[in-house]
Amino acid sequence: MPYLHATGLALLALASVWYPCGADVGDFSPCLNFFYKSWPPKGLSGTPICQRYENQYRFASLYRRQRRSPVFSAYIYSQPEGKRPSSDWKFEPQLADATADGNMALFPPGVLDPNVVNSQAVKQDYHNTSFTRGHLNPSLHHETHTDRLSTFTLTNVVPQKEGSNNGPWEKLESAVNHTLGSYCVGEAYVVTGVIPYQEDVHWIKGHRVAVPEYLWSAYCCPKYNESILNAARLGEFFPTYAAIGRNDPNSTEEIVPIDRSSHKMFWGYDVKRMPLDTLEMYLKQRFGSVINVFYEKCLALR
Ligand SMILES: *[C@@H]1O[C@H](CO)[C@@H](O)[C@H](O)[C@H]1NC(C)=O
Ligand SMILES: *[C@@H]1O[C@H](CO)[C@@H](O)[C@H](O)[C@H]1NC(C)=O
Ligand SMILES: *[C@@H]1O[C@H](CO)[C@@H](O)[C@H](O)[C@H]1NC(C)=O
Ligand SMILES: *[C@@H]1O[C@H](CO)[C@@H](O)[C@H](O)[C@H]1NC(C)=O
């Protein structure tokens, strides 16, 4: 039955072209593999984005349209190779038009589609400001060049002060690379997100893109080498550990104290490492709801 066969193939082809287009924004189901046990963090609200680049899912982000910035990005760590790429910035076409292509795209030259500008941050939002584009999912935590390029999309970045981005937060990303690269023997799942200001929303240049007061990050590495960890006295860092970093020297010090001896460029941008439980306690305080970052706190039977 060659006729039926051909029709079946055509239908299959249609299905595989259409399905991911509809699902990249609004649903994590095509990219649940980036979460430990396929279980996205609970207690945070926003629009799921399966971050697709060159027709492959690379990581996942939870996005807040009102803030025009992400709540978190989730990814699987892999040991980096080569230099940090320089890349032009990309956007998510489906936030502006649900029927658009699901791949992230480079900003076109010239005047931007107002629906794109309305739905997300654009490069101009960051021009002439004191904020850098802070990756939640950093290019440093990926092995392949294409995975690294895919992190340069504005739905993966938040307004981050340079003192944090080029100081203590960069040190944290580097420490996590060394810890996971040296001691994690299976997959390492990482989630990195923001804590908004408690009262007034702070915006870049007073409008459009919301600035976070803190950044947080947590990893879950269910498979690790216990004997070498114990020998290195690093047992407390596995299977899971977390951190919170300041993004504003004017913040109070209950969550992260200021190291008064730090260099003035980095003064007030400290990062505090802490167990996952402690992070979740602060998240609960600040978001006003119970937040679970990993399935069974990453302590489930391994
Ligand atoms: C940034 O500032 C420069 C110099 O003041 C100005 O020419 C430029 O238009 C500004 N760009 C944006 C996006 O505001
Ligand atoms: C990442 O960590 C690995 C393993 O510890 C290390 O060999 C490598 O030099 C680190 N890469 C960077 C860019 O720091
Ligand atoms: C843990 O590391 C030690 C020392 O490198 C090695 O001999 C041992 O086989 C490793 N165990 C596992 C379960 O990977
Ligand atoms: C901190 O507060 C002071 C005084 O209100 C203000 O001048 C300064 O710009 C603030 N710093 C930051 C980084 O917001």
Side-chain angles (χ1 to χ4, degrees):
M1 306 283 272
Y3 172 72
L4 265 184
H5 189 69
T7 312
L9 275 182
L11 279 177
L12 259 182
L14 265 183
S16 63
V17 169
W18 283 30
Y19 166 73
C21 285
D24 286 356
V25 166
D27 186 359
F28 278 139
S29 50
C31 55
L32 285 173
N33 56 304
F34 297 112
F35 300 99
Y36 174 56
K37 302 270 184 202
S38 301
W39 198 89
K42 298 292 177 282
L44 293 165
S45 61
T47 303
I49 300 179
C50 286
Q51 299 277 13
R52 187 143 61 102
Y53 180 53
E54 296 196 344
N55 290 316
Q56 259 187 48
Y57 292 117
R58 309 285 169 170
F59 60 101
S61 300
L62 189 70
Y63 189 73
R64 281 265 177 91
R65 282 171 188 267
Q66 306 91 308
R67 297 175 61 82
R68 292 195 183 84
S69 50
V71 182
F72 66 71
S73 285
Y75 58 97
I76 295 176
Y77 163 88
S78 56
Q79 200 164 302
E81 264 178 16
K83 277 200 182 144
R84 181 182 201 264
S86 65
S87 175
D88 214 345
W89 290 94
K90 297 180 274 300
F91 71 103
E92 174 53 58
Q94 288 195 345
L95 282 175
D97 171 5
T99 64
D101 187 80
N103 285 292
M104 57 180 79
L106 289 169
F107 284 102
V111 178
L112 288 173
D113 174 350
N115 291 325
V116 168
V117 179
N118 202 21
S119 62
Q120 56 203 291
V122 297
K123 291 193 282 183
Q124 284 74 4
D125 286 314
Y126 286 86
H127 288 170
N128 296 341
T129 73
S130 63
F131 293 99
T132 63
R133 285 166 280 212
H135 284 75
L136 295 184
N137 171 12
S139 128
L140 174 70
H141 289 177
H142 298 282
E143 182 183 353
T144 72
H145 188 66
T146 12
D147 278 349
R148 298 183 110 191
L149 291 179
S150 74
T151 66
F152 290 79
T153 184
L154 289 187
T155 55
N156 177 46
V157 311
V158 296
Q160 187 179 9
K161 288 286 188 180
E162 193 175 357
S164 162
N165 203 1
N166 295 340
W169 193 259
E170 186 181 40
K171 275 208 182 114
L172 172 75
E173 289 173 344
S174 171
V176 168
N177 167 54
H178 282 281
T179 309
L180 296 178
S182 311
Y183 302 107
C184 186
V185 296
E187 307 276 41
Y189 300 87
V190 189
V191 184
T192 298
V194 300
I195 301 180
Y197 285 87
Q198 215 152 13
E199 273 142 34
D200 299 331
V201 182
H202 289 46
W203 306 93
I204 304 183
K205 296 185 245 183
H207 73 144
R208 285 187 46 83
V209 183
V211 176
E213 184 173 6
Y214 296 93
L215 272 69
W216 58 268
S217 184
Y219 62 73
C220 166
C221 162
K223 264 202 195 150
Y224 53 95
N225 188 323
E226 221 154 340
S227 56
I228 55 170
L229 269 183
N230 289 339
R233 303 191 182 198
L234 291 172
E236 67 176 307
F237 294 112
F238 283 85
T240 178
Y241 216 65
I244 298 181
R246 302 170 62 95
N247 193 33
D248 184 347
N250 288 343
S251 296
T252 57
E253 295 184 61
E254 290 100 53
I255 302 183
V256 185
I258 293 176
D259 172 1
R260 283 167 210 285
S261 69
S262 60
H263 191 283
K264 72 175 193 306
M265 270 172 66
F266 308 125
W267 201 95
Y269 294 111
D270 309 68
V271 167
K272 188 164 108 187
R273 299 191 76 178
M274 59 185 73
L276 178 68
D277 271 336
T278 311
L279 168 68
E280 289 184 341
M281 178 197 77
Y282 287 125
L283 294 179
K284 181 180 173 197
Q285 254 176 33
R286 295 295 298 252
F287 283 90
S289 60
V290 174
I291 290 170
N292 293 116
V293 180
F294 297 116
Y295 175 74
E296 300 208 336
K297 297 189 188 291
C298 184
L299 295 172
L301 267 188
R302 300 198 278 273

